[in-house]
Amino acid sequence: MKTLQDIQTQIVQLTTNIEVNYPELYRSLEESPSTLVSNPHPSITRAIMQDYLNGLKQVLKQYLKNHNSK
């Protein structure tokens, strides 16, 4: 099982990869309204961060699928 720190490291690596190799995609990455927390002290769990990582992976996968087919 991955630790929270492992997941955070993967998020940093993935967003860095997107920033360097796909700057047009990086510029379009925005926080989804569903990820914005109204609680001033939210509890960041491993599951929440894993969902965020999975979402980033899906965004990149879809981007590559759409741009490699042209």
Side-chain angles (χ1 to χ4, degrees):
M1 183 180 293
K2 294 182 220 173
T3 67
L4 181 57
Q5 186 167 353
D6 293 335
I7 296 168
Q8 289 172 322
T9 298
Q10 286 184 304
I11 290 170
V12 169
Q13 289 171 342
L14 182 56
T15 54
T16 300
N17 175 36
I18 293 170
E19 181 180 21
V20 170
N21 297 306
Y22 311 100
E24 62 283 359
L25 175 59
Y26 183 78
R27 284 190 298 272
S28 70
L29 288 181
E30 295 181 6
E31 289 296 327
S32 164
S34 64
T35 64
L36 298 177
V37 180
S38 60
N39 182 348
H41 303 288
S43 175
I44 302 298
T45 65
R46 190 182 62 76
I48 290 170
M49 295 305 283
Q50 185 64 55
D51 287 347
Y52 182 71
L53 175 61
N54 292 341
L56 285 174
K57 288 179 179 179
Q58 283 301 112
V59 167
L60 179 58
K61 181 179 177 180
Q62 190 64 38
Y63 177 83
L64 293 174
K65 179 180 174 183
N66 290 338
H67 286 78
N68 288 336
S69 65
K70 292 181 179 180

